[in-house]
Amino acid sequence: MSDNTTANYSLGGQVPTGPKILTSRWESADGHTYDGYVRTGGYTALRKALTTMSPAQVHDEVKASEMQGRGGAGFPAGTKWGFLPADVHPRYLVINGDESEPGTYKDRLLMEKDPHQLIEGIIIACYAFGAAQAFLYVRGEMALAQERLAQALNDAYANNLVGKRICGTDFSVDITLTWGAGAYIVGEETALIESLEGERGMPRLKPPFFPASKGLYMQPTIVNNVETLSNLPYIVNQGGTSFKDLGGATSSGMRIFAVSGHVNKPGVFEVPNGITTFRMLFEAPEYCGGVRSDRKVKAFIPGGASAMWFFDEHLDLPLDKPTVDQAGSMLGSGAIVVMDETTDMVKACWRVVRFFARESCGKCTPCREGTTWLERILHRILTGNGRREDLDLLFEVSESISPGLAWPPRQTTICPLGPSAVSPIASAVNRFRHEFEHYIEHGRAIAGVEYVPMHAGSSHGAHAHV
Amino acid sequence: MSRFNDSNVTLAKEIIGRFPRPKSAVIPLLHLAQEQDGYVTRDAMSHIAELVNVTTAEVYGTATFYEMFKFEPIGKYCVNVCTNIACQLVGGWELLEHAEEKLGIKAGSTTEDGLFTIEDVECIAACTEAPAIQVNYRYRYKVTAENLDQLIDDLRAGRLADEIPPHGTLARVRQRTTDTWANTGIEAQAKVDAR
């Protein structure tokens, strides 16, 4: 990005820039290969950590980086590692590559385009907190990522970068590559652990099953996201402070956001964390280049399907965790979906709710029953069979899953999936109530939105498979 | 029929060896069974149960939780059309309906010749390339009605056989268990179990 592109830019100030620390090999044809990785500085951080730093020093750099986990919750990674009880072994690292939050699209690219960077991050993490075995759990539907990681692991083993006595030191660690088989809920860390144990992927109750103390096989376990670990080579090579300085005061480093929906150039962008605003991402020519057909933004999802929706008054907020939290939503997994003014909000709301209804694991009654009911009510509104009392009923059912419909959500369930289904309802019904009422009164969308009639029998209106 | 063949038994034992506890290998072995037969047979589940020393019911219980495992034959090519929010906003449903029309079947069913199954799926992590589909979990981006037609014609004519293996095969590169496999995790686990 040059000054020329930003000079004519109407945002009042330049769009912040930063180095590509996660995506530097994405454009390179052989960035995913061992040769391509080593040629561009790969595995230097691992050698540096193993031969010149103690595990505690590596952990200190990660603490100094103040990196917030990139999986959704945003908990500081260095602090999380610190929860492991001292001297309890074996302890495990589990890598969460089960990316499935609607709108989220970055871990797959990190695994496909730079698998060695992730592997290097994994070994560094294992060294820092003393794990002897790591489990790399990739989403089942990602065949190319699985293939690239398998090749990368075989090459890393062959070059003594994983396995016994890595780089000639007395540090040994194994990485077991495995993958899921289609279940969104397995992205939740305790459900992922259940799945790794060969079980149905249903979340465990916390407490007592906090993974750091009682995780995989009831041993201390750290579950880290792919993007989180992919940052470690940079942090070790450049230092935690230098990582921290790339971002804003309360959000450190660079961060990847996927922007999809009604923008001219949807894309996956690595931006300075905490200082770039939503408007910059949507409008800047180097990012999305504006909303399609110069329309206005009607709503956008700032952090994946589980997040509360944002509207035009939120456009100038920075992509900064505390700021977005305080505004009543979350940055989640870096998934932004933009809806322009022609979007049928009833249909958008139903589609997100149908996702949660389909993906509820069924363990907790409020979620299993509630999400199904919510989907059915919205579906009948959409097909012209809505009832006057339906909007109240939506809120009543929502209340039973997430009392008070507050943010952050309270929950009557073990995990946050159920309350997540309430976010689109609380967002869309509160803001666009007239659209729902119009459907109930007239059996169709309001004028001015893209309206595709839905019939009970068509695939377009298929019920959730629950 | 449809227990693991000999080479897959060897592979299965290798996979089991990479986990501290055998039951952890259930999902990878179910994938292996699906790769061998195109779907997961009852016999395969019994065989997995023997290999990891649990009951067939436990294997079945795990298997049925996960959407990718099929318990009866499906199409050689499973066409998964994403209709989740990012794809819906730019025509995912219309694309699904087009696929249904082209193949003459509804989502969730298989053509009579056993070649194609259509599924209406949730987000497949290709949101900026919407509308997106997968064929046997291989991506196609920004799919239009025209290139969906072309894709189906190509698959039918066998022109994409190199790129898209039959349903059941995911990664075509397998992790190898090499001499440098330290098994430290397993040894350490054994010590815990012995206490």
Side-chain angles (χ1 to χ4, degrees):
Chain A
M1 175 182 357
S2 71
D3 284 349
N4 293 337
T5 53
T6 50
N8 300 328
Y9 198 55
S10 60
L11 292 173
Q14 296 211 333
V15 176
T17 60
K20 286 184 171 178
I21 67 176
L22 287 159
T23 62
S24 65
R25 294 180 191 86
W26 284 15
E27 303 300 323
S28 129
D30 69 346
H32 63 281
T33 65
Y34 177 74
D35 290 343
Y37 187 64
V38 170
R39 194 183 64 240
T40 49
Y43 290 113
T44 52
L46 177 63
R47 284 175 209 280
K48 178 182 174 186
L50 293 188
T51 57
T52 69
M53 297 167 82
S54 70
Q57 281 172 325
V58 176
H59 191 174
D60 285 344
E61 289 302 330
V62 175
K63 278 192 260 187
S65 77
E66 294 180 20
M67 173 173 48
Q68 295 147 341
R70 304 295 199 232
F75 195 80
T79 312
K80 191 181 203 175
W81 294 0
F83 291 154
L84 287 170
D87 300 325
V88 183
H89 292 274
R91 52 182 58 189
Y92 300 109
L93 171 63
V94 171
I95 301 94
N96 188 343
D98 192 57
E99 178 176 60
S100 356
E101 174 79 14
T104 312
Y105 174 32
K106 42 124 185 147
D107 295 338
R108 177 163 78 81
L109 292 178
L110 285 166
M111 294 187 284
E112 287 177 0
K113 292 175 186 286
D114 207 341
H116 283 282
Q117 178 174 255
L118 172 61
I119 291 168
E120 186 172 8
I122 292 169
I123 317 275
I124 291 169
C126 288
Y127 178 69
F129 56 77
Q133 193 166 15
F135 296 88
L136 175 44
Y137 189 105
V138 182
R139 184 171 167 187
E141 289 91 336
M142 297 176 176
L144 181 63
Q146 296 154 10
E147 209 160 279
R148 292 260 168 98
L149 283 164
Q151 186 62 52
L153 270 175
N154 290 344
D155 292 341
Y157 265 100
N159 287 282
N160 188 218
L161 297 156
V162 192
K164 269 182 201 155
R165 302 184 62 81
I166 296 169
C167 301
T169 66
D170 60 3
F171 179 68
S172 302
V173 60
D174 278 322
I175 299 178
T176 297
L177 174 65
T178 187
W179 47 83
Y184 163 72
I185 188 58
V186 169
E188 197 279 337
E189 60 180 5
T190 60
L192 197 157
I193 287 170
E194 285 283 315
S195 185
L196 258 182
E197 293 184 1
E199 306 289 342
R200 298 167 77 85
M202 291 177 164
R204 295 172 176 172
L205 199 58
K206 296 191 280 192
F209 301 113
F210 287 110
S213 52
K214 290 182 190 305
L216 185 63
Y217 313 121
M218 291 297 139
Q219 292 297 118
T221 303
I222 292 293
V223 185
N224 275 154
N225 168 264
V226 165
E227 185 184 348
T228 308
L229 293 166
S230 296
N231 275 309
L232 294 182
Y234 180 91
I235 290 173
V236 166
N237 269 333
Q238 308 295 325
T241 317
S242 125
F243 178 89
K244 179 176 154 38
D245 291 344
L246 295 172
T250 48
S251 291
S252 69
M254 300 293 286
R255 187 167 173 189
I256 305 179
F257 291 94
V259 190
S260 58
H262 293 151
V263 286
N264 286 322
K265 293 184 296 171
V268 184
F269 309 107
E270 182 175 7
V271 304
N273 196 12
I275 41 182
T276 308
T277 67
F278 290 105
R279 188 188 298 280
M280 290 172 191
L281 270 186
F282 300 169
E283 295 178 4
E286 61 269 45
Y287 297 137
C288 295
V291 176
R292 67 170 182 181
S293 310
D294 286 326
R295 293 190 185 125
K296 289 195 180 69
V297 171
K298 186 169 181 178
F300 61 99
I301 304 176
S306 305
M308 294 289 241
W309 297 3
F310 271 174
F311 309 103
D312 52 359
E313 67 266 29
H314 299 105
L315 280 170
D316 291 307
L317 292 180
L319 296 149
D320 170 55
K321 179 175 156 51
T323 307
V324 171
D325 287 351
Q326 204 176 4
S329 189
M330 64 173 181
L331 278 181
S333 44
I336 301 168
V337 185
V338 180
M339 298 178 249
D340 76 14
E341 55 198 329
T342 67
T343 308
D344 179 343
M345 286 305 170
V346 182
K347 191 169 168 193
C349 176
W350 163 73
R351 186 59 188 84
V352 179
V353 171
R354 193 192 81 151
F355 168 76
F356 291 110
R358 273 178 90 166
E359 296 297 336
S360 173
C361 80
K363 189 168 186 171
C364 312
T365 309
C367 172
R368 183 187 63 243
E369 299 298 319
T371 55
T372 308
W373 275 100
L374 292 174
E375 191 274 334
R376 286 186 182 164
I377 296 164
L378 286 164
H379 185 262
R380 77 177 174 225
I381 293 174
L382 270 174
T383 49
N385 299 309
R387 304 168 193 169
R388 271 179 202 286
E389 65 273 21
D390 275 351
L391 295 186
D392 289 341
L393 189 55
L394 281 175
F395 281 108
E396 194 185 318
V397 176
S398 297
E399 277 279 338
S400 69
I401 308 174
S402 184
L405 307 187
W407 191 268
R410 284 184 285 175
Q411 58 197 54
T412 56
T413 50
I414 288 174
C415 90
L417 188 148
S420 295
V422 169
S423 296
I425 291 171
S427 305
V429 181
N430 281 332
R431 180 77 169 211
F432 305 103
R433 194 177 178 98
H434 60 288
E435 293 197 27
F436 289 80
E437 286 169 348
H438 192 276
Y439 255 107
I440 291 169
E441 296 263 324
H442 305 284
R444 54 166 294 136
I446 57 163
V449 307
E450 277 182 5
Y451 172 60
V452 185
M454 228 166 88
H455 310 291
S458 72
S459 296
H460 206 94
H463 266 296
H465 303 285
V466 287
Chain B
M1 56 163 270
S2 295
R3 289 164 64 88
F4 284 122
N5 59 35
D6 289 349
S7 66
N8 280 341
V9 169
T10 311
L11 261 176
K13 287 180 177 163
E14 227 179 273
I15 291 167
I16 293 167
R18 281 190 214 119
F19 291 95
R21 294 187 184 175
K23 195 178 181 188
S24 284
V26 165
I27 291 169
L29 297 191
L30 286 163
H31 277 301
L32 188 63
Q34 188 150 283
E35 183 173 340
Q36 179 182 290
D37 300 320
Y39 68 107
V40 180
T41 67
R42 291 269 171 148
D43 284 348
M45 285 189 277
S46 301
H47 201 175
I48 291 169
E50 290 165 29
L51 289 165
V52 305
N53 200 23
V54 298
T55 64
T56 304
E58 283 176 271
V59 175
Y60 186 74
T62 295
T64 49
F65 185 80
Y66 298 91
E67 281 184 32
M68 286 173 72
F69 295 132
K70 313 297 178 192
F71 303 99
E72 46 196 80
I74 70 156
K76 181 177 180 189
Y77 297 110
C78 189
V79 180
N80 291 0
V81 182
C82 176
T83 59
N84 207 312
I85 185 74
C87 285
Q88 162 173 300
L89 289 174
V90 292
W93 285 112
E94 290 73 12
L95 191 64
L96 175 65
E97 285 177 350
H98 180 81
E100 291 179 330
E101 218 166 280
K102 167 90 180 164
L103 291 171
I105 52 170
K106 287 287 181 192
S109 54
T110 302
T111 54
E112 271 182 26
D113 60 7
L115 217 44
F116 295 100
T117 297
I118 303 177
E119 292 192 346
D120 152 22
V121 299
E122 299 298 345
C123 186
I124 50 177
C127 311
T128 68
E129 309 296 334
I133 70 168
Q134 288 184 322
V135 180
N136 293 349
Y137 306 104
R138 270 74 182 172
Y139 287 92
R140 286 292 183 279
Y141 293 154
K142 292 192 184 1
V143 181
T144 62
E146 293 72 40
N147 52 39
L148 186 86
D149 288 347
Q150 183 65 48
L151 173 69
I152 288 180
D153 294 344
D154 286 347
L155 287 165
R156 198 173 262 145
R159 282 190 288 268
L160 294 171
D162 289 346
E163 190 193 341
I164 303 178
H167 178 259
T169 300
L170 292 169
R172 284 164 299 181
V173 178
R174 295 185 201 280
Q175 181 174 13
R176 287 193 304 263
T177 305
T178 64
D179 298 343
T180 52
W181 188 266
N183 262 352
T184 37
I186 296 169
E187 287 160 17
Q189 182 67 47
K191 279 177 206 155
V192 170
D193 289 344
R195 277 210 297 267

